[in-house]
Amino acid sequence: SMFVDRDGNVWVADFAGGVEYGHTAAEVQEELQRRGLGHQVVKFSPNGEVLMRLGTPGVPGSDERHLRDPSAVAVAPDGAIFVGDGHGSNGNNRLIKFAPDGTFIKQIGCSDCPSGQMGNTAWGDVKDAHALDFDVEGRLFVGDKLNGRIQIFDQDLNLLDVWTQFGAPAGLSIDRSSGLLVTADAESHNSAPLDGSPSNTGWE
């Protein structure tokens, strides 16, 4: 995903795909490391200059200096950076807060969830935090896609509320003037989809 901050800088969550297109995991990893791509969040100036990288390009991990398949990034008005680290159920499944200079502050979530875990994680944990945005009050809305809900946090990553009426949100955006929330329900199914991902029963 991408996020444009108040200064016009463009933030990109650089997920590391490729295996789903017929390449082996080893081939993908070798190419990502060779090109310095994937497993990172990149900040670009409005003119396209790279200003910051979070994570180690091409190298997955779960500590303070590494990301694994980040899906989402959002920047608060005070410059704090929030990252949804994980794509699908195989990633780190965590939310991370960084200082404006990229210094790691804290994380929450299920960074040690087993690959392919089915069913909802506990409130306050995430599984494929696929979209992030802030409302006018500064609350962080998280599209917790594979849990089929939106979770709302304050900027210290304390859980405030959980909403389940939006299916499995893969995208979300909040209009600052009206408060209107728009979501994209990408993963709801009444029966298990062909790719083996979990169904979100009761939703078309």
Side-chain angles (χ1 to χ4, degrees), residues 3 74-78 80 82 95 97 131-143 150-163 165-166 172-176 178-181:
F3 185 90
V75 180
D78 69 356
F82 294 82
L95 292 174
K97 180 179 182 179
L132 306 176
D133 202 3
F134 296 97
D135 68 3
V136 70
E137 299 173 23
R139 298 179 299 174
L140 177 66
F141 284 65
V142 178
I150 288 175
Q151 298 201 75
I152 306 168
F153 297 86
D154 66 19
Q155 292 194 23
D156 290 321
L157 295 179
N158 298 305
L159 182 65
L160 301 174
D161 206 352
V162 180
W163 293 353
Q165 67 266 45
F166 294 105
L172 64 86
S173 183
I174 301 172
D175 182 78
R176 301 296 189 278
S178 68
L180 180 68
L181 168 71

